[in-house]
């Protein structure tokens, strides 16, 4: 009984590992089918029976790729399937009924940019095409003591801009944690940049941190 129990346990572990592996493979296939090519991606082109054409090609900064012998193709924003169809169509001028297989050999890195009051501002490489704001701040080393989390600005690739009040995320009073996409820019201002400057007959003149819906009375009391 003990022997067969060990066999069943090992078999169960194997089935579990195979299930995990299958889910990873299916997830990768789904990602590959919807992924749109970008500059820096390296694609592998294979033509059955024609080893001289098989090779790896890098999509240039302008979005174009030179594939022998079909020439220049604007590959940016194409799916792998669309690129395969274009290459196949062009190869028909040289080869009868070409059998073309194209796959992504290496993905170009994804970057999100963060500026302002963080420990390590600049271009942050991320493992996927999206990332949460909290994770990005962690990758940037965290915010500084004078960071104004009430007024974080997010600028998209299309130059759309919005202000996020992120102060409640760390205190647990708010669960807003926006998703950022590759190419977005995050600006974390300092209190000096977004604060209210108070001078005159008050006990502590200087810069007061601005919070949403702040009134003049709030400023004087602080």
């Amino acid at each position: 009984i003990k022997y067969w129990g060990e066999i069943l346990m090992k078999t169960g572990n194997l089935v579990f590992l195979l299930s995990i592996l299958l889910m990873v493979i299916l997830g990768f296939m789904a990602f590959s089918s919807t992924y749109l090519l970008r500059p820096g991606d390296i694609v592998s082109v294979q033509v059955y029976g024609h080893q001289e054409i098989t090779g790896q090609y890098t999509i240039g900064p302008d979005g174009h790729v030179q594939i022998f012998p079909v020439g220049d193709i604007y590959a940016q924003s194409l799916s792998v399937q669309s690129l395969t169809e274009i290459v196949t169509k062009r190869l028909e001028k040289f080869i009868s009924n070409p059998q073309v297989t194209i796959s992504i050999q290496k993905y170009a890195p994804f970057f999100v940019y963060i500026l302002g009051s963080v420990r390590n501002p600049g271009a942050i490489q991320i493992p996927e095409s999206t990332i949460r704001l909290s994770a990005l701040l962690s990758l940037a080393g965290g915010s500084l003591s004078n960071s104004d989390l009430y007024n974080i600005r997010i600028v998209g690739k299309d130059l759309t801009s919005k202000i996020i009040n992120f102060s409640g995320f760390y205190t647990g009073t708010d669960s807003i944690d926006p998703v950022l996409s590759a190419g977005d820019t995050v600006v974390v201002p300092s209190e000096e940049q977004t604060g209210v400057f108070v001078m005159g007959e008050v006990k502590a003149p200087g810069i007061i941190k601005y919070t949403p819906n702040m009134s003049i009375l709030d400023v004087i009391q602080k």
Side-chain angles (χ1 to χ4, degrees):
I1 293 174
K2 181 179 179 182
Y3 170 77
W4 286 109
E6 291 177 350
I7 293 294
L8 288 173
M9 184 177 295
K10 291 179 180 179
T11 304
N13 291 337
L14 179 60
V15 171
F16 175 75
L17 291 174
L18 288 175
S19 299
I20 295 297
L21 179 60
L22 179 60
M23 286 189 291
V24 171
I25 292 173
L26 291 175
F28 179 76
M29 291 175 61
F31 174 75
S32 298
S33 63
T34 58
Y35 179 79
L36 301 181
L37 295 168
R38 302 178 299 128
D41 285 340
I42 300 176
V43 295
S44 174
V45 180
Q46 296 181 332
V47 182
Y48 179 75
H50 293 272
Q51 189 64 33
E52 73 280 3
I53 298 178
T54 296
Q56 295 182 5
Y57 304 89
T58 302
I59 300 175
D62 58 356
H64 289 259
V65 60
Q66 298 283 340
I67 298 178
F68 174 81
V70 300
D72 180 80
I73 298 174
Y74 185 71
Q76 183 172 335
S77 298
L78 290 179
S79 66
V80 172
Q81 179 62 33
S82 297
L83 180 61
T84 302
E85 292 172 357
I86 293 173
V87 173
T88 301
K89 185 68 175 178
R90 292 193 183 183
L91 276 176
E92 290 176 350
K93 299 178 181 179
F94 308 96
I95 301 170
S96 176
N97 191 28
Q99 304 297 312
V100 180
T101 300
I102 295 180
S103 60
I104 300 176
Q105 190 71 20
K106 184 178 181 181
Y107 291 93
F110 297 100
F111 287 97
V112 174
Y113 306 91
I114 186 165
L115 307 174
S117 187
V118 293
R119 296 188 185 281
N120 301 303
I124 304 295
Q125 185 172 338
I126 57 178
E128 299 179 352
S129 59
T130 60
I131 189 173
R132 293 281 182 180
L133 177 57
S134 60
L136 179 69
L137 286 171
S138 296
L139 291 175
S143 57
L144 301 179
S145 59
N146 67 339
S147 299
D148 181 5
L149 300 181
Y150 289 91
N151 294 283
I152 294 180
R153 181 177 295 275
I154 299 175
V155 182
K157 291 183 294 185
D158 56 357
L159 299 183
T160 57
S161 178
K162 58 183 178 182
I163 300 292
I164 298 295
N165 179 1
F166 200 59
S167 61
F169 180 82
Y170 295 109
T171 61
T173 58
D174 199 337
S175 60
I176 294 177
D177 191 7
V179 175
L180 307 168
S181 299
D184 288 351
T185 299
V186 175
V187 181
V188 182
S190 65
E191 294 175 2
E192 289 80 3
Q193 294 172 310
T194 59
V196 178
F197 187 74
V198 182
M199 57 187 299
E201 296 298 321
V202 292
K203 289 185 178 180
I207 296 174
I208 303 298
K209 179 188 293 187
Y210 172 80
T211 58
N213 303 316
M214 176 182 279
S215 67
I216 294 178
L217 181 59
D218 294 332
V219 174
I220 294 174
Q221 288 177 338
K222 288 189 176 184

